[in-house]
Amino acid sequence: MRESLTPARVLDAAAALLEREGVRRFSMRRLAAELAVAPTAIYWHVGNREALLDAIVERAGGILGAVDTAGASPAERILSTAASVAANIDRHRWLVELAHQRGVLLDLLGPARWAIAADLTAAGLTGTRVADATNAVMQLVGEHVTFERYAVDWPEQSVGPGARAGAGPGLDEETVLALARTPDRARTFTVMLRALVDGLLAPPSGGGPAPAR
């Protein structure tokens, strides 16, 4: 006997279809085919396409903002949270795209943003510095994941055989060899993130005590 149609079953199938094929290819007709029902049956249970997408976003609201934070110092905890958010966004790109289209992405990322802000505050930052630093960390994470999304289809980039020949004076052998290798984007992201966090936690140029590390 065919499984009866319920709102929960429709939402499960819609989320699976979105994750597999993306938001742009999603349609009620494609969803109806997945469920082997007429499109009108879906409208009856969950409303139109917009109502369905709203329900999916609401149900999945806790996914993007959920973070795993570890570390003893504020800096370690910020780095851990940021890495967790990056991995979370990468796993649920369809939800990011859907939430962005509906103008609620920052809302869904709220728990992660508040966690970073709390650790920045624990490190001694206040007011606008906390907001600016939180937004800087989240923007770096977002831009890295977005870049990786498109870079996955790019051909592998070679530094080229002339890399060592073009090495400038004063570079030691270890540096030359490292620069001759194709950059590891994941490693570079970690380096950028750590440099950003270190800079954000440094005392203002006017002096004053350094934040807790």
Side-chain angles (χ1 to χ4, degrees), residues 132-156:
D132 286 344
T134 300
N135 293 335
V137 171
M138 293 296 292
Q139 183 167 322
L140 179 62
V141 168
E143 290 179 352
H144 167 71
V145 176
T146 300
F147 180 86
E148 288 293 284
R149 175 181 180 180
Y150 293 102
V152 71
D153 295 325
W154 295 351
E156 185 66 30

Side-chain angles (χ1 to χ4, degrees), residues 29-102:
R29 188 173 299 278
R30 292 177 70 85
L31 177 59
E34 287 282 317
L35 292 165
V37 300
T40 52
I42 297 177
Y43 290 118
W44 174 263
H45 283 84
V46 296
N48 62 18
R49 184 180 188 275
E50 297 304 303
L52 170 63
L53 295 179
D54 283 340
I56 291 172
V57 169
E58 182 177 356
R59 192 177 72 159
I63 294 177
L64 290 182
V67 293
D68 294 321
T69 301
S73 70
E76 291 172 348
R77 291 176 60 81
I78 293 168
L79 292 170
S80 172
T81 299
S84 176
V85 172
N88 216 6
I89 292 174
D90 186 56
R91 284 193 299 267
H92 303 287
R93 292 177 180 176
W94 67 272
L95 181 55
V96 172
E97 184 177 3
L98 179 58
H100 184 268
Q101 285 185 359
R102 309 189 83 70

